[in-house]
Amino acid sequence: MPTFLFSPFSSPFLLALSSLTMLSILVLATSEFLGRHLQYSKFWSPKTSSNKIHLPSRSAMLLCYVPAFAVASISLFLLLLPRYNNSSTRIFLINSLLLIHFFKRIFEVVFVHKYGNKMGLSEAIRVSITYVLLTASTIYSQMVSQNLEEPQIDLRAAGLAMYWIGITGNLYHHVLLAKLRKEGDREYRIPRGGMFEVIVCPHYLFEMVEFLGLAFVSQTLFPMVFAFGSALFLIGRSYATRNWYVSKFEDFPRHVKAILPFVF
């Protein structure tokens, strides 16, 4: 582990937080496989939602992303102050990548995605807190590690390549999804084009690549754990999504897998 990660034992708090994060995401991933889905997108229904308060999906998604974007923005502003001139370049890099990630998410919510459903307020708050914790903990773990010995294997170049491949592929397939319907249209259609020809959730696959790239740039334990955990959740979500398409469309192509082409 020390060959490609900063020492994970430098902060008992981050070690405990990483363990708790992994456990929480495992619960969410298992729930997706068992059919107990987070109530948003195609899985939201007023009949199945336990929430008494529901938000329009666009408002709910902004609630999910804006707080984390604010945390990344404030952190980057503070890092630019003279008192932090000695901060490592890796901290600036991680902070900038997180800022770009959530800026893209907000841009997509406002200008790309077409919404027709709602989302429970409690789910939106839960997702928002998750992203705030991801942002703050990833930046903090980088600050804690800056006085530690650098890992023997530098993964930053590979991580940056994966990050940009992931974020670009994710955006491209979100645009393809947006072209399927108009604003307010609740009718779902089978996605076409790009990697939708072989998997039902290529946007999830590229998001996994992006988060893994972020973890490679950081080379600290918490983002590695989050990348692995979020991959498990997205695999579960894509499995449920494929089952949903199969149940709704008789002509759904059976060769289209959930998230790994030709495999799963």
Side-chain angles (χ1 to χ4, degrees):
M1 184 176 294
T3 60
F4 65 92
L5 284 183
F6 287 98
S7 172
F9 305 108
S10 57
S11 171
F13 168 73
L14 285 173
L15 196 59
L17 182 61
S18 299
S19 302
L20 182 60
T21 298
M22 189 69 237
L23 180 62
S24 301
I25 297 178
L26 278 175
V27 171
L28 286 175
T30 303
S31 296
E32 291 294 331
F33 277 107
L34 295 178
R36 297 192 295 269
H37 312 298
L38 280 181
Q39 295 291 301
Y40 67 92
S41 186
K42 59 180 62 66
F43 295 107
W44 179 87
S45 169
K47 296 180 181 179
T48 59
S49 177
S50 59
N51 284 269
K52 294 182 179 179
I53 302 176
H54 302 98
L55 299 175
S57 289
R58 193 181 306 279
S59 300
M61 290 295 106
L62 287 174
L63 176 58
C64 290
Y65 302 136
V66 168
F69 177 77
V71 170
S73 300
I74 293 171
S75 174
L76 188 59
F77 172 78
L78 292 175
L79 287 173
L80 293 174
L81 296 178
R83 63 181 297 185
Y84 295 109
N85 280 344
N86 294 326
S87 298
S88 70
T89 56
R90 202 187 287 256
I91 295 179
F92 285 101
L93 190 56
I94 282 295
N95 206 145
S96 300
L97 296 180
L98 286 167
L99 189 67
I100 293 169
H101 171 79
F102 288 109
F103 174 81
K104 168 191 166 287
R105 287 289 183 89
I106 294 170
F107 175 85
E108 289 175 330
V109 170
V110 177
F111 297 108
V112 177
H113 295 313
K114 303 294 191 301
Y115 295 104
N117 269 340
K118 295 185 178 181
M119 183 177 184
L121 177 61
S122 63
E123 268 90 3
I125 292 174
R126 189 191 315 176
V127 173
S128 181
I129 291 173
T130 299
Y131 283 134
V132 166
L133 283 175
L134 162 67
T135 305
S137 300
T138 300
I139 295 170
Y140 176 69
S141 64
Q142 211 65 62
M143 295 181 70
V144 169
S145 68
Q146 68 176 334
N147 293 322
L148 301 177
E149 182 180 353
E150 283 278 334
Q152 295 173 357
I153 302 174
D154 191 342
L155 299 177
R156 276 176 289 188
L160 283 171
M162 294 174 67
Y163 175 88
W164 287 112
I165 290 171
I167 202 170
T168 303
N170 180 265
L171 174 60
Y172 171 69
H173 288 92
H174 278 166
V175 171
L176 291 181
L177 282 176
K179 290 180 178 179
L180 291 175
R181 56 181 180 166
K182 297 180 180 179
E183 188 70 30
D185 183 3
R186 294 190 177 185
E187 182 180 353
Y188 282 89
R189 299 169 180 84
I190 299 174
R192 302 290 186 187
M195 289 189 66
F196 283 117
E197 301 297 331
V198 289
I199 54 176
V200 75
C201 292
H203 48 308
Y204 287 171
L205 176 61
F206 281 104
E207 186 169 349
M208 289 163 54
V209 172
E210 180 192 347
F211 277 130
L212 185 59
L214 190 70
F216 275 23
V217 173
S218 174
Q219 294 189 245
T220 57
L221 179 64
F222 179 80
M224 285 285 185
V225 168
F226 189 89
F228 179 72
S230 63
L232 291 179
F233 171 75
L234 291 173
I235 290 171
R237 189 76 174 181
S238 65
Y239 172 79
T241 299
R242 186 183 186 277
N243 288 343
W244 184 90
Y245 275 110
V246 170
S247 68
K248 297 294 182 181
F249 298 95
E250 293 183 359
D251 60 338
F252 183 81
R254 299 298 168 141
H255 72 275
V256 174
K257 301 299 184 180
I259 197 167
L260 294 177
F262 315 112
V263 178
F264 176 79

